[in-house]
Amino acid sequence: MTLPPPPGVGSSQRLAPAPQLAEMLMQIPWLCHVANATIERLAQQAVLHRVPAGSILFEQGEIPTFAPWLLHGAVELVGVDGDNEVMIETLQPFDLLLPAAILNRQPFLTRARALEASHLALIQADTFRDAVASDHALCLAILACEAAQFRRQVKLAKNLKLRPAEDRVGCYLLALVESHAMATTIRLPIEKRRIAGQLGMTRETLSRTLGAMANYGLRITGDTITVTDAQALRARFRLDPLIDAPEPIEPGPPLAL
Amino acid sequence: MTLPPPPGVGSSQRLAPAPQLAEMLMQIPWLCHVANATIERLAQQAVLHRVPAGSILFEQGEIPTFAPWLLHGAVELVGVDGDNEVMIETLQPFDLLLPAAILNRQPFLTRARALEASHLALIQADTFRDAVASDHALCLAILACEAAQFRRQVKLAKNLKLRPAEDRVGCYLLALVESHAMATTIRLPIEKRRIAGQLGMTRETLSRTLGAMANYGLRITGDTITVTDAQALRARFRLDPLIDAPEPIEPGPPLAL
DNA sequence: GCTCGGCTTTGATCCATATCAATGCGTCAG
DNA sequence: CTGACGCATTGATATGGATCAAAGCCGAGC
């Protein structure tokens, strides 16, 4: 796997002292039950990779040589065929990128691209596999990560196949509003282009649909959302926890003895 | 979770002697590195469940009380909203059904329905969680299972979003033909209704598309496929291993010490 | 043999969403 | 100030696939 010096802005810095990397990994909530020794072992051979927005982290079809661990920023996984791309998932800290491929020495099924300037820990693939095979607590943690990612994938699929575009947008916005305690005015957290991708539609369709939200008590101008009629909004869109609830990585129980 | 006595044909039999259940589990290839003692422990509290085609194994939203393990037959996972259903995945032996939900005590995200008469091992959820938390080899095996299911999910999504209906059908058939060493005449392995579901389209669309395959060297009558022009077929449809290759559960390496 | 029910086929039509094209608008560099 | 570029909006149009409706086929049971 090559790390192309991304075009444009400052080149990526691969080198970073390992000791502080171990500390960063220890901050990860879902690694709370993993022994420090193991985390240090992972960090030993790892490097911190800082990349600007737009960088390709790996290409579809490559055999992984390291496990990329998202510490800061955002990354999207996209399926590619010729020149068209489709969004598969967007990842946030502290997700591991496609652990399934790394563990089984299988090719990555997607391309990964940084959506914003991001920091990743790159862990040697062999080191990673050995650690998972020799440390039970780590194995449980990775299982939890993989489980969360699977469930997110299922939720995405349900959202996409079960709801028309307008409902997807409405539920997305309603969830956003509710997470802000129904404040009457809030901001879109990310670019519209990315929202459209996550909701599986084109920017044009999103744009039109946002306009149509006025009928349901929501006005969107630029990146500002104003709730004009919370009741109408709730009447029109019903959140389904089996689709709309976030799917955090659960650390799970400590090792049973 | 209730197990409704399925309407129609003979009622499901839940009781089966545990000893032979342990033996059945030991046959599972991807458990090859798990100690027999652990498997026996799992089988101890488990029951063998035989269900006729059409049975609902569990309902979307239920909190799992046991881990259903498919030993024989076929099961589909479907997302439900009101009265319409969408196919999420179809499982084959020896898949575990939604291990993510069981491990994290989270609700099932889908309904599960037997597509044909099937046998499942039902393992007490607590027993299952304890075993995974106390046996590292088992934990690795479940991780491999979950990883395979994640990758299948990504492949499904790519197939659906990257290819139009005709391509999906063509690639499905081409893969089928190739797996039979390009024999000139083979049979559809499952009902068309189910193929349509797996490929994310209606039966009507599948029917029409199968007709259109005549243009590309393939004639389908009933459930019989005849290859009339292998070259034309290959010229029209290109298999992509990152979409069309099956995703078996890899047992992975034995425990590192 | 006949009839019934499930699956499939075929045809006509509809509709949600993509696509294409043009314009607008805000921001940053010079 | 002035381009110019990236993103967003708006409108017109196209189209893939769904939906609705009506036969057709075929195996199972009587």
Side-chain angles (χ1 to χ4, degrees):
Chain A
M1 163 171 170
T2 50
L3 285 164
V9 223
S11 70
S12 56
Q13 306 167 243
R14 296 199 56 177
L15 298 181
Q20 67 194 37
L21 223 175
E23 278 169 28
M24 297 175 84
L25 291 180
M26 287 178 201
Q27 305 293 327
I28 299 178
W30 56 275
L31 289 185
C32 59
H33 297 126
V34 179
N36 285 347
T38 299
I39 294 182
E40 275 157 14
R41 178 176 157 202
L42 286 175
Q44 202 78 29
Q45 321 226 20
V47 294
L48 179 64
H49 196 203
R50 296 155 172 274
V51 297
S55 313
I56 305 290
L57 302 172
F58 52 76
E59 204 50 76
Q60 182 175 285
E62 288 180 6
I63 302 282
T65 60
F66 57 76
W69 208 322
L70 183 57
L71 300 180
H72 174 80
V75 167
E76 66 172 354
L77 303 177
V78 294
V80 185
D81 180 46
D83 57 350
N84 71 334
E85 289 191 346
V86 294
M87 229 277 307
I88 299 297
E89 192 178 1
T90 82
L91 299 174
Q92 297 174 350
F94 298 90
D95 265 305
L96 208 41
L97 275 58
L98 295 176
I102 296 144
L103 290 170
N104 292 349
R105 298 185 169 78
Q106 288 166 324
F108 287 123
L109 293 177
T110 69
R111 167 183 295 171
R113 176 188 298 120
L115 287 169
E116 36 185 276
S118 302
H119 301 179
L120 297 108
L122 304 185
I123 298 174
Q124 203 59 34
D126 292 320
T127 308
F128 182 75
R129 279 188 290 262
D130 292 349
V132 172
S134 63
D135 185 315
H136 191 176
L138 177 63
C139 186
L140 277 166
I142 303 299
L143 181 52
C145 174
E146 183 75 63
Q149 292 190 5
F150 176 82
R151 284 174 66 90
R152 280 186 221 145
Q153 206 57 40
V154 171
K155 286 180 173 180
L156 276 240
K158 285 177 64 179
N159 197 25
L160 206 64
K161 293 164 125 169
L162 238 25
R163 303 212 265 226
E166 189 170 81
D167 290 22
R168 297 203 294 277
V169 172
C171 288
Y172 174 86
L173 293 175
L174 176 53
L176 196 63
V177 169
E178 293 207 334
S179 75
H180 287 62
M182 296 303 279
T184 63
T185 171
I186 60 187
R187 308 231 133 178
L188 291 176
I190 52 177
E191 286 169 307
K192 286 187 181 149
R193 130 195 293 297
R194 277 169 58 185
I195 296 177
Q198 289 188 27
L199 298 181
M201 66 191 72
T202 58
R203 321 155 203 101
E204 294 96 321
T205 299
L206 175 64
S207 192
R208 285 182 240 277
T209 311
L210 286 177
M213 287 297 134
N215 303 326
Y216 312 115
L218 225 45
R219 187 160 311 261
I220 293 94
T221 26
D223 63 348
T224 305
I225 312 171
T226 318
V227 182
T228 61
D229 184 347
Q231 197 173 353
L233 182 63
R234 281 232 171 79
R236 170 65 181 81
F237 301 107
R238 180 184 303 280
L239 291 185
D240 177 349
L242 299 184
I243 296 180
D244 303 293
E247 192 67 51
I249 302 175
E250 303 283 353
L255 258 190
L257 300 184
Chain B
M1 160 173 171
T2 49
L3 284 163
V9 223
S11 71
S12 56
Q13 307 167 244
R14 297 198 57 175
L15 298 181
Q20 67 194 36
L21 223 175
E23 278 169 28
M24 296 175 86
L25 291 179
M26 288 178 201
Q27 306 293 329
I28 298 178
W30 57 274
L31 289 185
C32 58
H33 297 127
V34 179
N36 285 347
T38 300
I39 295 182
E40 274 157 13
R41 179 175 157 202
L42 287 175
Q44 204 76 30
Q45 321 225 22
V47 295
L48 179 65
H49 195 203
R50 296 155 172 273
V51 297
S55 313
I56 305 291
L57 301 172
F58 52 76
E59 204 51 76
Q60 183 175 284
E62 289 180 5
I63 302 282
T65 59
F66 57 76
W69 208 322
L70 182 58
L71 300 180
H72 174 80
V75 167
E76 66 173 354
L77 303 177
V78 295
V80 186
D81 181 47
D83 57 350
N84 71 332
E85 290 191 346
V86 295
M87 229 276 308
I88 299 297
E89 193 177 0
T90 81
L91 300 174
Q92 297 174 352
F94 297 91
D95 265 302
L96 208 41
L97 275 58
L98 296 175
I102 296 144
L103 290 171
N104 292 350
R105 297 186 171 77
Q106 289 166 323
F108 287 123
L109 293 177
T110 69
R111 168 183 295 171
R113 174 187 300 119
L115 287 169
E116 37 186 275
S118 302
H119 301 179
L120 296 108
L122 304 185
I123 298 175
Q124 203 59 36
D126 291 320
T127 309
F128 183 74
R129 279 189 289 262
D130 292 348
V132 171
S134 63
D135 185 315
H136 191 177
L138 177 63
C139 186
L140 276 166
I142 302 299
L143 180 52
C145 174
E146 185 75 63
Q149 292 189 6
F150 176 81
R151 285 174 64 90
R152 279 187 220 144
Q153 206 57 39
V154 172
K155 285 180 173 180
L156 274 244
K158 286 178 63 179
N159 196 26
L160 206 64
K161 293 165 127 170
L162 239 22
R163 304 211 265 227
E166 189 170 80
D167 290 23
R168 296 203 296 277
V169 173
C171 289
Y172 175 85
L173 294 174
L174 177 53
L176 197 63
V177 168
E178 292 206 335
S179 75
H180 287 62
M182 298 301 281
T184 62
T185 172
I186 61 188
R187 307 230 133 178
L188 291 176
I190 52 178
E191 285 169 308
K192 287 188 181 144
R193 130 195 292 298
R194 276 169 57 183
I195 296 177
Q198 289 188 27
L199 298 180
M201 67 190 71
T202 58
R203 319 150 205 95
E204 294 96 320
T205 299
L206 176 63
S207 191
R208 286 182 238 279
T209 311
L210 286 177
M213 288 295 136
N215 303 326
Y216 312 115
L218 225 45
R219 186 160 311 259
I220 294 95
T221 27
D223 63 349
T224 306
I225 312 170
T226 318
V227 182
T228 61
D229 185 346
Q231 197 172 351
L233 183 62
R234 281 229 170 82
R236 170 65 182 80
F237 301 107
R238 183 185 302 279
L239 290 185
D240 178 349
L242 299 185
I243 296 180
D244 303 293
E247 192 67 50
I249 303 174
E250 302 283 352
L255 259 191
L257 301 182

